Amino acid sequence: MRQKGNIVYKVTGELCHDNANAAVAAGMSAIATGQAEFDLSALTKIDSSAVAVMVAWQRQAIQSGKQLQFLALPASLLSLIDLYGLSEQLLAASSERH
C-alpha cells in the first residue's frame, strides 16, 4: 500500500516479490506527479525485490530529470543495498536513515 502526500511519498506495508510490480507502477505514478522524496519508514516487510523497485524508481526519476531521495530506510533494506553495491546510486541524495 502506498500513500501520496503533499510533499513526501510514503511507502507502507510490504515491499517484496509479491507486490513489486504494483509498487513500481505506484512509484512511477508518484514520480510523474512530481514526487521526489520517498519515505520508507513504514515498511514492515522487505526482500531483495525492494532494491530492484528502488532502482526502477530511481531510473525513472533520472529520465524525468529528477533525483530521488529515499528517507528513513529500515536497517534491513540498507543492508541489502550495501550487499548489492548500490549505496552510491540509491543513497547519494538521501539524508535520513534509521
Side-chain angles (χ1 to χ4, degrees):
M1 295 175 210
R2 278 108 197 117
Q3 301 170 347
K4 207 182 328 180
N6 291 336
I7 298 171
V8 176
Y9 181 72
K10 186 154 185 136
V11 183
T12 61
E14 298 182 2
L15 188 52
C16 54
H17 178 74
D18 292 340
N19 68 345
N21 289 333
V24 167
M28 299 277 191
S29 178
I31 293 164
T33 63
Q35 298 292 322
E37 293 182 343
F38 282 48
D39 179 353
L40 306 176
S41 63
L43 288 174
T44 58
K45 179 182 174 186
I46 61 117
D47 65 16
S48 60
S49 297
V51 178
V53 169
M54 292 174 67
V55 168
W57 290 338
Q58 190 66 275
R59 284 183 182 154
Q60 178 64 30
I62 289 167
Q63 289 176 354
S64 300
K66 300 179 183 103
Q67 174 70 37
L68 291 187
Q69 289 187 337
F70 295 107
L71 309 174
L73 286 83
S76 57
L77 184 51
L78 284 170
S79 293
L80 285 172
I81 291 167
D82 286 339
L83 177 68
Y84 293 120
L86 295 171
S87 294
E88 187 173 321
Q89 178 184 353
L90 294 176
L91 305 178
S94 299
S95 59
E96 182 185 345
R97 302 174 195 155
H98 75 228

